[in-house]
Amino acid sequence: MIQFLVLLCFSFGVSANIVEDNQVAKITKDMSFGGFLDTYYAYDFNQPKDHERQFTTQPVRHNEFNINLAYVEAILKKEKSRGRLALQYGNSVTKNYSSEPTQGATSGPNDSKIFQEAYVGTKIGERTWIDMGIFLGNIGAESWISKDNWIYTRALSLDYVPYYSSGARLEHFIDNNQSFQLQLLNGWQTISENNQGKAIGMQYKNAVTPAFTFTYNNFFGDEEVVSQSSRFRAYHNFIFQWLQSDAWQYIYTFDIGHQSQQQNDGVDAWFTTAFTVRHPLDQKRTVAMRAEYYADPHQANVVTNTPNGFRVTSIATGYDQKLEENTMWRTELRGFYSHDEIYPQGVAGKNRLEGFLVTSLSMWF
């Protein structure tokens, strides 16, 4: 926390000095500074005893006011170079980096979690860029930044794919409607390496029409943990976004993954699907609903330690209102039904059902 505050003050100090010094006017043209603050209060109807909600990354805390995500950023955009440095804090940050590998004295979650993104890129062709560093994960239709999503909390499928990646990526713009990415990564949501292998990821995005966009993402890599046997993982993500009109908008996603078993030559598979509809009431008010299903019976990606694994249905509905151009109030009601009793309830109980109500005030600049 102290490191975050020091870097936060440093970022604003640099911004202030740039504004005051006329000799660096060109830098201010190429660089921009901003930030985001997402505060929330969530009430879980199961009332977990330690206020900690399970099987989620946001909202994590029950019956308390807290910060989901806060960050400050500096962005560089020049003709042949680009980059972003974003420093962050919040419950979702702590939750997402809790499994970050610690190998040696220079790795682990405490060092890694302060960076949301930290990459530098250079242009190597008329339509081609290469970036290196830490960047947000590309899989899925929803962002870590809640204001950019149609519903406040992320879908189940998004909770269990990388929020962030570390490596190098090649991005090529085929034409004005199509783009392609090729990534070389340390692994599945890891900054610190936990084995001797590397992973690859790809993305293809096509704005087929002004109203319809198709996106395909994938991941292939060895998720071996040091001293254990190989666990090769493959993951495929399909996104169909249809903005039918100003009044009705739709997103459908389908994901499938499979991973080699540790004990034999078998393969464990899982899949998830979600459908989201959004209906803007006017320029400031929006309602949305999402239905989804996640099936990981072999616990290849989500471990429950129960007979039927992670098999969950969820329905969410949300209401958003822009208070100002850069301020938003969001409310969401969401419920879950699990095949097994996986959700903490009260002091020591478990429940197949789980639900919560969350309200959020956020601002950006």
Side-chain angles (χ1 to χ4, degrees):
M1 179 60 183
I2 294 176
Q3 290 175 317
F4 176 81
L5 291 175
V6 170
L7 288 168
L8 176 65
C9 293
F10 175 76
S11 298
F12 280 115
V14 171
S15 178
N17 289 336
I18 289 175
V19 172
E20 292 173 1
D21 191 348
N22 293 328
Q23 295 181 356
V24 292
K26 187 176 185 300
I27 296 180
T28 62
K29 181 181 178 180
D30 297 332
M31 296 193 68
S32 62
F33 298 87
F36 177 67
L37 174 60
D38 175 7
T39 67
Y40 76 95
Y41 172 84
Y43 187 87
D44 190 310
F45 300 122
N46 283 351
Q47 301 181 25
K49 64 173 183 176
D50 57 359
H51 296 267
E52 190 86 359
R53 301 186 59 250
Q54 301 300 315
F55 300 102
T56 188
T57 56
Q58 50 184 304
V60 177
R61 302 294 293 174
H62 153 67
N63 194 26
E64 68 181 41
F65 297 93
N66 219 310
I67 297 172
N68 182 49
L69 176 65
Y71 69 80
V72 291
E73 65 179 0
I75 299 174
L76 173 69
K77 289 183 178 180
K78 301 185 73 173
E79 182 181 353
K80 294 185 178 181
S81 60
R82 68 184 185 183
R84 180 175 184 252
L85 173 63
L87 310 177
Q88 63 183 357
Y89 173 81
N91 291 157
S92 65
V93 176
T94 301
K95 190 74 171 183
N96 274 304
Y97 287 77
S98 60
S99 298
E100 178 67 28
T102 300
Q103 302 291 334
T106 58
S107 70
N110 290 333
D111 290 332
S112 302
K113 69 180 183 179
I114 194 171
F115 296 106
Q116 182 184 94
E117 281 196 307
Y119 70 85
V120 177
T122 183
K123 196 172 186 180
I124 60 173
E126 185 64 28
R127 293 175 173 264
T128 307
W129 290 81
I130 186 167
D131 303 309
M132 186 177 295
I134 301 167
F135 34 84
L136 293 172
N138 63 291
I139 298 176
E142 297 171 349
S143 165
W144 193 342
I145 318 305
S146 59
K147 73 177 181 67
D148 298 330
N149 299 332
W150 290 8
I151 292 181
Y152 177 67
T153 63
R154 286 166 51 118
L156 289 170
S157 58
L158 272 298
D159 268 339
Y160 297 105
V161 294
Y163 269 67
Y164 60 90
S165 298
S166 179
R169 64 182 177 191
L170 180 77
E171 184 175 30
H172 177 68
F173 295 90
I174 301 170
D175 53 36
N176 292 336
N177 298 322
Q178 300 178 84
S179 63
F180 173 80
Q181 280 188 22
L182 178 62
Q183 304 175 351
L184 180 64
L185 308 171
N186 286 337
W188 180 271
Q189 186 158 297
T190 59
I191 294 176
S192 300
E193 186 59 270
N194 63 352
N195 57 43
Q196 296 302 318
K198 289 291 180 282
I200 62 172
M202 290 182 283
Q203 180 188 83
Y204 170 73
K205 188 172 185 178
N206 187 353
V208 182
T209 71
F212 179 74
T213 301
F214 167 73
T215 306
Y216 167 68
N217 298 290
N218 65 27
F219 173 94
F220 300 96
D222 187 355
E223 287 307 291
E224 169 193 2
V225 178
V226 175
S227 78
Q228 295 186 10
S229 57
S230 175
R231 295 185 300 166
F232 181 81
R233 170 173 293 190
Y235 196 87
H236 307 272
N237 163 237
F238 303 88
I239 305 169
F240 305 87
Q241 180 173 292
W242 183 31
L243 308 180
Q244 178 187 6
S245 66
D246 292 338
W248 294 100
Q249 301 161 358
Y250 309 94
I251 295 178
Y252 173 72
T253 64
F254 179 81
D255 297 22
I256 184 168
H258 57 87
Q259 180 172 281
S260 58
Q261 295 180 5
Q262 297 184 59
Q263 304 299 327
N264 52 53
D265 294 331
V267 174
D268 291 332
W270 70 97
F271 78 91
T272 176
T273 186
F275 179 73
T276 308
V277 56
R278 180 169 68 170
H279 176 51
L281 302 173
D282 52 40
Q283 292 184 344
K284 291 189 175 182
R285 298 178 302 145
T286 303
V287 292
M289 179 173 289
R290 179 178 62 222
E292 56 186 318
Y293 179 65
Y294 199 110
D296 185 7
H298 304 292
Q299 305 178 56
N301 197 37
V302 187
V303 178
T304 64
N305 295 314
T306 58
N308 296 288
F310 192 74
R311 296 169 60 183
V312 175
T313 302
S314 173
I315 296 178
T317 181
Y319 171 79
D320 302 339
Q321 180 164 356
K322 268 195 171 183
L323 305 177
E324 298 287 349
E325 188 60 32
N326 63 339
T327 307
M328 186 182 296
W329 179 24
R330 313 191 74 181
T331 302
E332 178 186 343
L333 178 65
R334 188 174 181 184
F336 304 86
Y337 175 77
S338 169
H339 194 84
D340 293 337
E341 294 181 344
I342 64 172
Y343 294 109
Q345 181 175 28
V347 176
K350 294 281 187 177
N351 201 332
R352 291 179 179 175
L353 295 174
E354 204 248 11
F356 67 87
L357 178 67
V358 60
T359 188
S360 161
L361 280 173
S362 61
M363 58 171 278
W364 56 94
F365 54 91

